[in-house]
Amino acid sequence: MTEPRQIDFREWHRFFKKIPEETVEETRYYRHLPNAEWSQYLFPPSTHMVYGNRLLRKLLFDNSPAALRLWGFVLSEGERIYRARQAGMKVVAVMGDLGAVTPLVYSFPDTIAFYPDCLWWTPFLMESRVLFDEAAEYGLGDDCCFVRAALGAFSKKAYFPRPDLSIATVGATCDDMAAVISEAELIGNEIHYFELPHRNDIESDFDDLKNFLAEQYRELSARLEDITGSGFSREHFRQTVKKVNRLRWLIAECKRLCGDGEKNPMGAVEMMDIEFSALSYYGDLKECLAVLEGSHTEIALRRARGKGYSGQDIRLLWLTPPADPLLLNYAEELGGRIVGTEYIINQTTPLFNEEGDPFEILAENQLQASLMGSSDFRVKLILNELEKSRAEGAIISGVFGSSHCPYETVPIVNALRNAGIPTLAFDVVAPGKKRMQSQVFNRMEAFIESLRARRKRHAG
Amino acid sequence: MRGEMNPRERWSLLLIDEFPDRPPVFPLVTSHAANVFGCDLIQYCTDGKILAEAQLAAQRYYGHDGLSVFTDVGIIAEAFGSSYHLREFDVPILDQPVLSDLSNIDSLQIPDPGSNGRLPVYLEAIDLLFRRAGDVLPVFAYIPCPFTTAAGLRGVENFLIDTMMNPEAAHLMLDISCRAAERFCDECILAGALPILVDPLASGSVISRRSFKEFAAPYQRNLIRCLHRYDLDIMLHICGDTSNMLDLIPGTGADLFSFDQVDINAVLDEIGDRVRLVGNLPPNNLLASSSMSIEENTDIILSKGLKNPKGYVLSTGCEVPIKCEHRKLQAMINLGKTARYENGW
């Protein structure tokens, strides 16, 4: 076991030469496909950097082989979706606060899902405005959330293959993504709408809401039957849910282990990759599970041996996923350690009741969504995470133009401050705006310095 | 324009066996960029900033689908210690090879890309290009293959004689040239460029099929294997006539083959099902003195290339001549941009 460290792409490029060739050859996705020479994915960040992901030149990565595998798997998702299509699999796009639909999609044979909303990371990874500029052609400019990158991708037809089915939420969902979806439909993409009711958080209404959602899952299942030519199978669904439960358990365990212990055993960027695997399993549930097993083993081993990064001791809660992953690295460089998160994907965290009615358990799961109801619900989730993580401070990385951020930020900040937790809230800066970015870095630096001073005062 | 792909997107799709909106149009605009930018070739070959600015200026002017970092085929041999004569209006030529006799082969040290010869010029240019335009334009670094570098270590004639009279020494030179190329490739990748391997002296116009098989192909293969380990898609360019060795090209592992004086039909038939093809408008067509019709010749090549099952890139057969007529190159590029695939989204 190597001493845990965060290293840059250069160092990974060199270390990669030492990884045995057989290991590289054996690490593949879609293992059920014979002779798929394109399915290897154990490659270092430099491989993905040279194809345009310029941010990888700046990021720091964990130095374990498990983290290398995780990065290789995450960064190959784009190609993987195309290969799935080439291999005759059905490709389903799932949009708008979902992640709860994907177990149903994967329960159909040779069918995979992906999450176009996640293309909001692409402009940051590429340090590029290409997708934003493309979205602006349709009227979605800087006053819309970064998820508008997905519209740019629909227009460009170069980031994912034409989906066999696009599922999108409507109703109590993200307004910005709803705008993206409407435009995507206008330019010729057929959308299957899935209505999310407003969760009013009144317990007596729960069954009505559940039934309403379950009915929509039934309709969606029928649609998937048409697309795939296969009937819905309870047994396949049960098997899929079993795997999804394992995956969710692994994510929760990785999070718990990263919050416990003296030292931070894994980088916050890797942990964000791990948490977001719960949305669509990066296009291959089985392999995703194997990747996460590897990450969990590494984290657990480090935790058991008291190993981790040195110099990261200020315990932080991070709220709302940062579109710019560099911010997480930066917090760590300043001595921060992300011990808890609320990345507005709470619907992907509860374990399913494996024996229940398939559509009802999906509905129950959906009702746990972070953003389907009042801000109070999310505030409660955050306070719960705060209690578990024993964080000393919280950072909210909001999105300028995102509809939910301005409504939620004030109640969240108030709730945290009432709980005695200093909180820093800022909007993530779009790629290319260097001066504004440096302001954010300054504020983070000052915030972490003040947390350190506060700790000293309390100790004194 | 809504929905139009950029060069980065086009290449990305091509390399995963998908159809972009049109084939990439990538004439080998190398030293000709200096002519567009208005600098002399000594500046272009010795100053990474100028090389980068010239490439960007040429790309803005013509709108082709990629940036080319290349000065001359002696770049690695020079870093080993061979001396090259830099010229204001033409590419550098070999002045004094480092191995005037074979007795000092063992003293050769693999060059440090950060400090030896003009290798740092490449790295500076790549870094600048990648930072300025790497999100929309792929940056390609042309790396001489071991056969060509070895010829630069010994002088072309001497090296060709060595392959006959002293093959062991030839292999020693090839081996160290291969290791140097691998190290240089690593640095080019880390700076942000995808290597294109160039082997002009391994051309059928210079060596026999037998020599190619014994002295060129194995080292091309080794180098490509090293790069494949990183899952990189590698283009191999060989100038001149390669018709007698076409069947050996897939064996090198090249993902794309850039060919010159070979009938495109022959290339398609021989290897088109296994290798993406890049070519092949004769560069001399682009000279002011040429009476060949650019439109007609481009159209013929394009219509055939588009049918290649593994994908196609419209290009010139070799480097665009330094004094190419701008109007003619523009005509070729414009025609390429009108090409469309029937398949797609």
Side-chain angles (χ1 to χ4, degrees), chain A residues 68-97:
Chain A
L68 178 72
R69 184 177 181 188
L70 173 68
W71 276 108
F73 189 63
V74 172
L75 292 169
S76 59
E77 186 191 8
E79 176 173 352
R80 183 155 49 251
I81 299 165
Y82 278 105
R83 296 300 188 186
R85 185 67 187 266
Q86 289 169 6
M89 297 159 86
K90 298 293 177 195
V91 174
V92 177
V94 192
M95 292 179 279
D97 302 335

mmCIF file of all heavy atoms in Angstrom, chain A residues 68-97:
data_model
loop_
_atom_site.group_PDB
_atom_site.id
_atom_site.type_symbol
_atom_site.label_atom_id
_atom_site.label_comp_id
_atom_site.label_asym_id
_atom_site.label_seq_id
_atom_site.Cartn_x
_atom_site.Cartn_y
_atom_site.Cartn_z
ATOM 1 N N LEU A 68 -7.176 5.662 -9.641
ATOM 2 C CA LEU A 68 -6.885 5.700 -11.079
ATOM 3 C C LEU A 68 -8.013 5.013 -11.844
ATOM 4 O O LEU A 68 -8.496 5.505 -12.866
ATOM 5 C CB LEU A 68 -5.558 4.994 -11.365
ATOM 6 C CG LEU A 68 -5.182 4.920 -12.844
ATOM 7 C CD1 LEU A 68 -4.767 6.282 -13.376
ATOM 8 C CD2 LEU A 68 -4.065 3.921 -13.076
ATOM 9 N N ARG A 69 -8.444 3.882 -11.312
ATOM 10 C CA ARG A 69 -9.525 3.133 -11.965
ATOM 11 C C ARG A 69 -10.818 3.956 -11.960
ATOM 12 O O ARG A 69 -11.534 4.012 -12.958
ATOM 13 C CB ARG A 69 -9.724 1.801 -11.234
ATOM 14 C CG ARG A 69 -10.745 0.917 -11.898
ATOM 15 C CD ARG A 69 -10.844 -0.417 -11.192
ATOM 16 N NE ARG A 69 -11.818 -1.269 -11.866
ATOM 17 C CZ ARG A 69 -12.234 -2.420 -11.393
ATOM 18 N NH1 ARG A 69 -11.754 -2.883 -10.259
ATOM 19 N NH2 ARG A 69 -13.133 -3.142 -12.042
ATOM 20 N N LEU A 70 -11.085 4.581 -10.819
ATOM 21 C CA LEU A 70 -12.281 5.417 -10.715
ATOM 22 C C LEU A 70 -12.243 6.536 -11.763
ATOM 23 O O LEU A 70 -13.208 6.739 -12.508
ATOM 24 C CB LEU A 70 -12.352 6.011 -9.300
ATOM 25 C CG LEU A 70 -13.449 7.050 -9.045
ATOM 26 C CD1 LEU A 70 -14.828 6.407 -9.091
ATOM 27 C CD2 LEU A 70 -13.244 7.721 -7.681
ATOM 28 N N TRP A 71 -11.121 7.234 -11.849
ATOM 29 C CA TRP A 71 -11.010 8.334 -12.816
ATOM 30 C C TRP A 71 -11.136 7.817 -14.243
ATOM 31 O O TRP A 71 -11.799 8.422 -15.083
ATOM 32 C CB TRP A 71 -9.678 9.065 -12.637
ATOM 33 C CG TRP A 71 -9.732 10.096 -11.551
ATOM 34 C CD1 TRP A 71 -9.133 10.027 -10.328
ATOM 35 C CD2 TRP A 71 -10.448 11.337 -11.571
ATOM 36 N NE1 TRP A 71 -9.426 11.151 -9.591
ATOM 37 C CE2 TRP A 71 -10.225 11.976 -10.329
ATOM 38 C CE3 TRP A 71 -11.250 11.969 -12.512
ATOM 39 C CZ2 TRP A 71 -10.770 13.219 -10.015
ATOM 40 C CZ3 TRP A 71 -11.798 13.206 -12.199
ATOM 41 C CH2 TRP A 71 -11.562 13.818 -10.968
ATOM 42 N N GLY A 72 -10.458 6.706 -14.514
ATOM 43 C CA GLY A 72 -10.522 6.143 -15.864
ATOM 44 C C GLY A 72 -11.954 5.801 -16.236
ATOM 45 O O GLY A 72 -12.394 6.038 -17.366
ATOM 46 N N PHE A 73 -12.691 5.283 -15.270
ATOM 47 C CA PHE A 73 -14.077 4.880 -15.527
ATOM 48 C C PHE A 73 -14.965 6.112 -15.744
ATOM 49 O O PHE A 73 -15.761 6.158 -16.684
ATOM 50 C CB PHE A 73 -14.582 4.049 -14.344
ATOM 51 C CG PHE A 73 -15.919 3.413 -14.595
ATOM 52 C CD1 PHE A 73 -16.079 2.469 -15.599
ATOM 53 C CD2 PHE A 73 -17.017 3.751 -13.827
ATOM 54 C CE1 PHE A 73 -17.326 1.887 -15.832
ATOM 55 C CE2 PHE A 73 -18.251 3.176 -14.048
ATOM 56 C CZ PHE A 73 -18.419 2.241 -15.054
ATOM 57 N N VAL A 74 -14.799 7.096 -14.895
ATOM 58 C CA VAL A 74 -15.636 8.299 -14.986
ATOM 59 C C VAL A 74 -15.357 9.045 -16.298
ATOM 60 O O VAL A 74 -16.273 9.423 -17.023
ATOM 61 C CB VAL A 74 -15.374 9.227 -13.773
ATOM 62 C CG1 VAL A 74 -16.070 10.563 -13.944
ATOM 63 C CG2 VAL A 74 -15.823 8.559 -12.483
ATOM 64 N N LEU A 75 -14.085 9.209 -16.598
ATOM 65 C CA LEU A 75 -13.732 10.026 -17.763
ATOM 66 C C LEU A 75 -13.991 9.311 -19.092
ATOM 67 O O LEU A 75 -13.999 9.949 -20.138
ATOM 68 C CB LEU A 75 -12.263 10.461 -17.675
ATOM 69 C CG LEU A 75 -11.956 11.454 -16.547
ATOM 70 C CD1 LEU A 75 -10.443 11.614 -16.353
ATOM 71 C CD2 LEU A 75 -12.592 12.823 -16.813
ATOM 72 N N SER A 76 -14.214 8.010 -19.042
ATOM 73 C CA SER A 76 -14.508 7.297 -20.296
ATOM 74 C C SER A 76 -16.004 7.169 -20.541
ATOM 75 O O SER A 76 -16.425 6.515 -21.491
ATOM 76 C CB SER A 76 -13.852 5.906 -20.291
ATOM 77 O OG SER A 76 -14.322 5.139 -19.191
ATOM 78 N N GLU A 77 -16.815 7.806 -19.715
ATOM 79 C CA GLU A 77 -18.266 7.622 -19.850
ATOM 80 C C GLU A 77 -18.773 8.072 -21.232
ATOM 81 O O GLU A 77 -19.600 7.394 -21.841
ATOM 82 C CB GLU A 77 -19.022 8.377 -18.751
ATOM 83 C CG GLU A 77 -20.514 8.060 -18.796
ATOM 84 C CD GLU A 77 -21.375 8.957 -17.909
ATOM 85 O OE1 GLU A 77 -20.837 9.934 -17.359
ATOM 86 O OE2 GLU A 77 -22.571 8.680 -17.790
ATOM 87 N N GLY A 78 -18.254 9.194 -21.708
ATOM 88 C CA GLY A 78 -18.722 9.710 -22.996
ATOM 89 C C GLY A 78 -18.542 8.678 -24.103
ATOM 90 O O GLY A 78 -19.481 8.352 -24.835
ATOM 91 N N GLU A 79 -17.339 8.136 -24.203
ATOM 92 C CA GLU A 79 -17.084 7.124 -25.241
ATOM 93 C C GLU A 79 -17.943 5.888 -24.997
ATOM 94 O O GLU A 79 -18.481 5.284 -25.926
ATOM 95 C CB GLU A 79 -15.595 6.733 -25.271
ATOM 96 C CG GLU A 79 -15.357 5.609 -26.270
ATOM 97 C CD GLU A 79 -13.898 5.259 -26.512
ATOM 98 O OE1 GLU A 79 -13.017 5.982 -26.025
ATOM 99 O OE2 GLU A 79 -13.659 4.241 -27.203
ATOM 100 N N ARG A 80 -18.082 5.543 -23.708
ATOM 101 C CA ARG A 80 -18.812 4.310 -23.367
ATOM 102 C C ARG A 80 -20.245 4.337 -23.914
ATOM 103 O O ARG A 80 -20.752 3.345 -24.412
ATOM 104 C CB ARG A 80 -18.822 4.124 -21.851
ATOM 105 C CG ARG A 80 -19.468 2.852 -21.374
ATOM 106 C CD ARG A 80 -18.953 2.413 -20.020
ATOM 107 N NE ARG A 80 -18.932 3.450 -19.022
ATOM 108 C CZ ARG A 80 -17.828 4.016 -18.537
ATOM 109 N NH1 ARG A 80 -16.641 3.625 -18.967
ATOM 110 N NH2 ARG A 80 -17.892 4.963 -17.614
ATOM 111 N N ILE A 81 -20.883 5.503 -23.807
ATOM 112 C CA ILE A 81 -22.273 5.596 -24.256
ATOM 113 C C ILE A 81 -22.357 5.384 -25.766
ATOM 114 O O ILE A 81 -23.247 4.712 -26.279
ATOM 115 C CB ILE A 81 -22.866 6.962 -23.845
ATOM 116 C CG1 ILE A 81 -22.839 7.103 -22.327
ATOM 117 C CG2 ILE A 81 -24.292 7.095 -24.318
ATOM 118 C CD1 ILE A 81 -23.048 8.533 -21.871
ATOM 119 N N TYR A 82 -21.389 5.963 -26.475
ATOM 120 C CA TYR A 82 -21.351 5.726 -27.929
ATOM 121 C C TYR A 82 -21.124 4.249 -28.236
ATOM 122 O O TYR A 82 -21.736 3.681 -29.125
ATOM 123 C CB TYR A 82 -20.229 6.546 -28.570
ATOM 124 C CG TYR A 82 -20.594 7.977 -28.856
ATOM 125 C CD1 TYR A 82 -20.110 9.007 -28.067
ATOM 126 C CD2 TYR A 82 -21.421 8.300 -29.930
ATOM 127 C CE1 TYR A 82 -20.439 10.336 -28.335
ATOM 128 C CE2 TYR A 82 -21.753 9.622 -30.200
ATOM 129 C CZ TYR A 82 -21.254 10.639 -29.402
ATOM 130 O OH TYR A 82 -21.580 11.937 -29.676
ATOM 131 N N ARG A 83 -20.206 3.645 -27.495
ATOM 132 C CA ARG A 83 -19.905 2.230 -27.757
ATOM 133 C C ARG A 83 -21.113 1.360 -27.457
ATOM 134 O O ARG A 83 -21.352 0.358 -28.137
ATOM 135 C CB ARG A 83 -18.708 1.783 -26.909
ATOM 136 C CG ARG A 83 -17.394 2.488 -27.219
ATOM 137 C CD ARG A 83 -16.952 2.280 -28.650
ATOM 138 N NE ARG A 83 -15.602 2.799 -28.869
ATOM 139 C CZ ARG A 83 -15.022 2.848 -30.067
ATOM 140 N NH1 ARG A 83 -15.658 2.445 -31.150
ATOM 141 N NH2 ARG A 83 -13.798 3.318 -30.196
ATOM 142 N N ALA A 84 -21.867 1.741 -26.430
ATOM 143 C CA ALA A 84 -23.077 0.978 -26.099
ATOM 144 C C ALA A 84 -24.007 0.967 -27.300
ATOM 145 O O ALA A 84 -24.526 -0.072 -27.720
ATOM 146 C CB ALA A 84 -23.772 1.611 -24.893
ATOM 147 N N ARG A 85 -24.163 2.132 -27.867
ATOM 148 C CA ARG A 85 -25.043 2.262 -29.028
ATOM 149 C C ARG A 85 -24.511 1.428 -30.197
ATOM 150 O O ARG A 85 -25.256 0.721 -30.877
ATOM 151 C CB ARG A 85 -25.140 3.739 -29.381
ATOM 152 C CG ARG A 85 -26.092 4.091 -30.475
ATOM 153 C CD ARG A 85 -27.535 3.824 -30.052
ATOM 154 N NE ARG A 85 -28.412 4.011 -31.165
ATOM 155 C CZ ARG A 85 -29.052 5.160 -31.422
ATOM 156 N NH1 ARG A 85 -28.932 6.161 -30.598
ATOM 157 N NH2 ARG A 85 -29.820 5.264 -32.469
ATOM 158 N N GLN A 86 -23.199 1.523 -30.427
ATOM 159 C CA GLN A 86 -22.595 0.760 -31.527
ATOM 160 C C GLN A 86 -22.771 -0.739 -31.323
ATOM 161 O O GLN A 86 -22.879 -1.497 -32.288
ATOM 162 C CB GLN A 86 -21.099 1.087 -31.639
ATOM 163 C CG GLN A 86 -20.803 2.482 -32.157
ATOM 164 C CD GLN A 86 -19.332 2.861 -31.992
ATOM 165 O OE1 GLN A 86 -18.494 2.056 -31.594
ATOM 166 N NE2 GLN A 86 -19.007 4.112 -32.278
ATOM 167 N N ALA A 87 -22.785 -1.152 -30.046
ATOM 168 C CA ALA A 87 -22.902 -2.585 -29.748
ATOM 169 C C ALA A 87 -24.367 -3.028 -29.731
ATOM 170 O O ALA A 87 -24.664 -4.170 -29.385
ATOM 171 C CB ALA A 87 -22.244 -2.879 -28.407
ATOM 172 N N GLY A 88 -25.268 -2.139 -30.093
ATOM 173 C CA GLY A 88 -26.681 -2.516 -30.205
ATOM 174 C C GLY A 88 -27.476 -2.357 -28.919
ATOM 175 O O GLY A 88 -28.617 -2.810 -28.830
ATOM 176 N N MET A 89 -26.875 -1.723 -27.899
ATOM 177 C CA MET A 89 -27.630 -1.525 -26.662
ATOM 178 C C MET A 89 -28.528 -0.299 -26.802
ATOM 179 O O MET A 89 -28.306 0.549 -27.649
ATOM 180 C CB MET A 89 -26.647 -1.327 -25.491
ATOM 181 C CG MET A 89 -25.784 -2.566 -25.251
ATOM 182 S SD MET A 89 -24.262 -2.191 -24.355
ATOM 183 C CE MET A 89 -24.830 -2.281 -22.699
ATOM 184 N N LYS A 90 -29.556 -0.243 -25.966
ATOM 185 C CA LYS A 90 -30.448 0.919 -25.972
ATOM 186 C C LYS A 90 -29.900 1.963 -25.004
ATOM 187 O O LYS A 90 -29.487 1.624 -23.889
ATOM 188 C CB LYS A 90 -31.870 0.526 -25.540
ATOM 189 C CG LYS A 90 -32.526 -0.480 -26.469
ATOM 190 C CD LYS A 90 -32.799 0.125 -27.835
ATOM 191 C CE LYS A 90 -33.394 -0.916 -28.769
ATOM 192 N NZ LYS A 90 -33.355 -0.509 -30.172
ATOM 193 N N VAL A 91 -29.919 3.190 -25.449
ATOM 194 C CA VAL A 91 -29.360 4.273 -24.646
ATOM 195 C C VAL A 91 -30.487 5.223 -24.230
ATOM 196 O O VAL A 91 -31.207 5.746 -25.081
ATOM 197 C CB VAL A 91 -28.289 5.035 -25.465
ATOM 198 C CG1 VAL A 91 -27.798 6.254 -24.704
ATOM 199 C CG2 VAL A 91 -27.124 4.109 -25.796
ATOM 200 N N VAL A 92 -30.618 5.408 -22.925
ATOM 201 C CA VAL A 92 -31.711 6.234 -22.403
ATOM 202 C C VAL A 92 -31.125 7.456 -21.685
ATOM 203 O O VAL A 92 -30.308 7.316 -20.775
ATOM 204 C CB VAL A 92 -32.591 5.410 -21.426
ATOM 205 C CG1 VAL A 92 -33.690 6.283 -20.835
ATOM 206 C CG2 VAL A 92 -33.187 4.197 -22.139
ATOM 207 N N ALA A 93 -31.564 8.622 -22.102
ATOM 208 C CA ALA A 93 -31.139 9.852 -21.416
ATOM 209 C C ALA A 93 -32.149 10.143 -20.312
ATOM 210 O O ALA A 93 -33.352 10.050 -20.529
ATOM 211 C CB ALA A 93 -31.100 11.012 -22.400
ATOM 212 N N VAL A 94 -31.628 10.456 -19.143
ATOM 213 C CA VAL A 94 -32.505 10.739 -18.002
ATOM 214 C C VAL A 94 -32.161 12.158 -17.529
ATOM 215 O O VAL A 94 -31.018 12.444 -17.224
ATOM 216 C CB VAL A 94 -32.252 9.743 -16.858
ATOM 217 C CG1 VAL A 94 -33.355 9.845 -15.822
ATOM 218 C CG2 VAL A 94 -32.169 8.321 -17.382
ATOM 219 N N MET A 95 -33.175 13.010 -17.490
ATOM 220 C CA MET A 95 -32.864 14.420 -17.204
ATOM 221 C C MET A 95 -33.735 15.010 -16.107
ATOM 222 O O MET A 95 -34.916 14.676 -15.992
ATOM 223 C CB MET A 95 -33.091 15.252 -18.472
ATOM 224 C CG MET A 95 -32.102 14.936 -19.560
ATOM 225 S SD MET A 95 -32.424 15.918 -21.038
ATOM 226 C CE MET A 95 -33.734 14.981 -21.790
ATOM 227 N N GLY A 96 -33.140 15.890 -15.337
ATOM 228 C CA GLY A 96 -33.896 16.705 -14.397
ATOM 229 C C GLY A 96 -34.134 16.053 -13.060
ATOM 230 O O GLY A 96 -35.211 15.492 -12.819
ATOM 231 N N ASP A 97 -33.181 16.166 -12.182
ATOM 232 C CA ASP A 97 -33.358 15.729 -10.791
ATOM 233 C C ASP A 97 -33.793 14.280 -10.665
ATOM 234 O O ASP A 97 -34.556 13.928 -9.775
ATOM 235 C CB ASP A 97 -34.400 16.598 -10.082
ATOM 236 C CG ASP A 97 -34.002 18.046 -10.115
ATOM 237 O OD1 ASP A 97 -32.793 18.300 -10.228
ATOM 238 O OD2 ASP A 97 -34.883 18.901 -10.034
#
